Amino acid sequence: MTTSARPEPTDEVVDLCRDLLRIDTTNTGDNDTSAGERRAAEYVAEKLAEVGVDAEIHESAPGRANLVARIAGTEPGRDALLVHGHLDVVPADPDEWSVHPFSGEVRDGYLWGRGAIDMKDFDAMVLAVVRDWQRTGVRPRRDVVLAFTADEEAGSDYGAHFLTQRHRDLFDGCTEAIGEVGGFSYSVDEQRRLYLIETAEKGIDWLRLHARGRPGHGSMVHDDNAVTALAEAVARIGRHRFPVVMTDTVRAFLAEVSDVLGIEIDPDDPETAIAKLGPIANIIGATIRNTANPTRLAAGYKDNVIPGRATATIDCRSLPGQSEELERQLRELVGPDIAIEYVQRQPALETTFDGDLVAQMSAALRAEDPGAHPVPYMLSGGTDAKAFSQLGIRCFGFAPLRLPADLNFSGLFHGIDERVPLDGLQFGVRVLDRFLRNC
Ligand SMILES: [Zn+2]
């Protein structure tokens, strides 16, 4: 039993995370049904106010709430650090889960719930650290700006993009940032763990293909059918494998992996080595080439009418500096008769794995896990970092989490039975505390 009235941040983080998981912040992409984001932002504001931190809530639309607070550093001349986490989650169907996705249940050493690793775990860690600092009089060396955002799961228009476009002044002085998806462990063996720190993100290149043809009767001979033309183009894209392009980030990742695992990696055939990485093979595998996956088709309105047009959506992801090259390759694949329209185009990000901030991340990880090997990596998806980097901020994915060797971590993102190990959450608080004190 403890005699101190002050809660330990490693205990409090579990309560904070559970409370957040119990607020259903499902992002449906529809403003009328996103009420949870407001409740979650108010919860965070209340937890900060309790310890004397003023926060402002900025709504981009009714209910679409973003919260920003600034903690003054002791060395005012230094650049500020942004710490950001989103409060929304993707939908979860209770019928598919072992526990109710919004019950915040603790079972088998895990805290379960939609958002447990994406990313209310990190939101709770940040709150636990800041609340402890406020209670004990700790102040960071540089200003730390906290941002809890809405709408990350539907493109961030009502969240991070809104904040950076309409409230840029909130981020004055911020030159570096940490957020999702990085800082998690991958076990090499009992003694050694890689910690993947995100230094790059692929670009988002969502496009629509438009085929046009001559409308007509389905019973006639017809050689100008929009559906046929579209289907051929979609099939060509879907079956195409884009060439391997090695970026600095992936090169640095593989060099470190080859060192730690003691395996030779053939630069002409990185895929053989990547395939040996088990649960993270699908994360890394998507970062050595551009990808293009057909996701939606639309055409026609009646069984016996040949429509004059047909459309398909392709989810493309481009490597840093590859967006134009990808577009050129796609145009070649679909041919001259199919029009390409971009519906979303957000550039890839890439920064170097060096400097004081990286040194502090690595030091904090090693202090809490002597077997830690921090490595840079590229995320194949996108995060709020896309928006914050528009302000010239150098963005890292660093939401530290020590994971059991057998956990399929990447499968939990947007997955069924999403859950976070309690000791991993507590490890994250200790690492984050060290890192933020020293950064
Ligand atoms: Zn996320």
Side-chain angles (χ1 to χ4, degrees), residues 7 9 11-25 35-57 59 63 65-69 86-87 104 111 119-128 130-131 135 146 148 425:
D11 292 333
E12 206 184 43
V13 70
V14 179
D15 298 332
L16 292 164
C17 191
R18 193 180 48 211
D19 287 351
L20 284 169
L21 292 174
R22 286 178 176 167
I23 303 171
D24 178 351
T25 53
E37 289 172 343
R38 174 86 208 184
R39 287 207 307 282
E42 281 171 358
Y43 173 84
V44 173
E46 185 189 305
K47 291 292 153 187
L48 290 172
E50 273 175 17
V51 293
V53 177
D54 289 332
E56 278 178 36
I57 290 179
E59 280 198 339
N66 299 275
L67 177 143
V68 181
H86 62 83
L87 291 168
L111 179 55
M119 60 175 299
K120 289 175 172 173
D121 55 338
F122 184 69
D123 297 333
M125 285 180 209
V126 173
L127 278 177
V130 168
R131 280 165 64 85
R135 291 185 185 115
L146 309 177
F148 294 88
L425 200 55

Side-chain angles (χ1 to χ4, degrees), residues 86 118-119 152-153 180-181 413:
H86 62 83
D118 184 11
M119 60 175 299
E152 194 277 338
E153 297 293 2
E180 63 177 350
V181 176
F413 276 82

Side-chain angles (χ1 to χ4, degrees), residues 8-318:
E8 285 296 327
T10 45
D11 292 333
E12 206 184 43
V13 70
V14 179
D15 298 332
L16 292 164
C17 191
R18 193 180 48 211
D19 287 351
L20 284 169
L21 292 174
R22 286 178 176 167
I23 303 171
D24 178 351
T25 53
T26 300
N27 185 346
T28 58
D30 173 359
N31 286 356
D32 293 338
T33 53
S34 296
E37 289 172 343
R38 174 86 208 184
R39 287 207 307 282
E42 281 171 358
Y43 173 84
V44 173
E46 185 189 305
K47 291 292 153 187
L48 290 172
E50 273 175 17
V51 293
V53 177
D54 289 332
E56 278 178 36
I57 290 179
H58 301 271
E59 280 198 339
S60 49
R64 309 308 303 265
N66 299 275
L67 177 143
V68 181
R70 184 179 286 250
I71 296 169
T74 54
E75 299 169 23
R78 300 187 66 211
D79 293 335
L81 175 75
L82 170 65
V83 176
H84 60 94
H86 62 83
L87 291 168
D88 62 323
V89 297
V90 294
D93 178 357
D95 290 343
E96 295 176 331
W97 282 55
S98 309
V99 303
H100 193 283
F102 300 105
S103 63
E105 202 167 311
V106 173
R107 188 192 282 190
D108 305 329
Y110 285 82
L111 179 55
W112 300 59
R114 173 59 84 222
I117 52 151
D118 184 11
M119 60 175 299
K120 289 175 172 173
D121 55 338
F122 184 69
D123 297 333
M125 285 180 209
V126 173
L127 278 177
V129 168
V130 168
R131 280 165 64 85
D132 190 56
W133 283 4
Q134 291 293 114
R135 291 185 185 115
T136 53
V138 173
R139 279 176 64 195
R141 292 171 59 202
R142 59 205 283 197
D143 279 13
V144 172
V145 175
L146 309 177
F148 294 88
T149 59
D151 200 34
E152 194 277 338
E153 297 293 2
S156 311
D157 284 348
Y158 292 96
H161 284 299
F162 161 79
L163 286 177
T164 55
Q165 284 159 17
R166 305 280 297 277
H167 296 281
R168 256 188 116 103
D169 50 307
L170 295 171
F171 307 102
D172 276 353
C174 290
T175 53
E176 294 168 314
I178 61 164
E180 63 177 350
V181 176
F184 56 92
S185 67
Y186 162 74
S187 297
V188 176
D189 51 35
E190 288 275 293
Q191 281 78 40
R192 298 172 305 166
R193 278 157 293 283
L194 300 177
Y195 282 82
L196 279 68
I197 295 173
E198 190 205 301
T199 55
E201 262 179 30
K202 283 178 97 173
I204 298 174
D205 305 77
W206 290 345
L207 48 92
R208 208 154 286 152
L209 304 181
H210 296 274
R212 285 183 180 267
R214 201 174 67 251
H217 198 289
S219 69
M220 313 266 177
V221 172
H222 198 99
D223 57 6
D224 186 17
N225 185 319
V227 175
T228 308
L230 182 81
E232 284 170 348
V234 167
R236 279 197 296 274
I237 289 179
R239 296 203 185 286
H240 188 71
R241 257 165 103 73
F242 293 88
V244 170
V245 178
M246 294 297 277
T247 53
D248 292 345
T249 301
V250 174
R251 224 185 291 275
F253 172 85
L254 290 175
E256 183 70 23
V257 165
S258 133
D259 240 31
V260 176
L261 272 63
I263 53 169
E264 280 296 317
I265 293 176
D266 177 356
D268 295 326
D269 177 26
E271 288 182 295
T272 305
I274 290 169
K276 292 179 186 149
L277 295 175
I280 55 169
N282 54 356
I283 299 180
I284 307 303
T287 62
I288 56 169
R289 49 163 54 97
N290 300 318
T291 57
N293 280 307
T295 52
R296 303 177 79 167
L297 290 169
Y301 53 91
K302 197 167 184 303
D303 290 350
N304 61 353
V305 176
I306 296 167
R309 58 184 64 190
T311 64
T313 307
I314 317 288
D315 180 350
C316 304
R317 308 293 175 126
S318 57

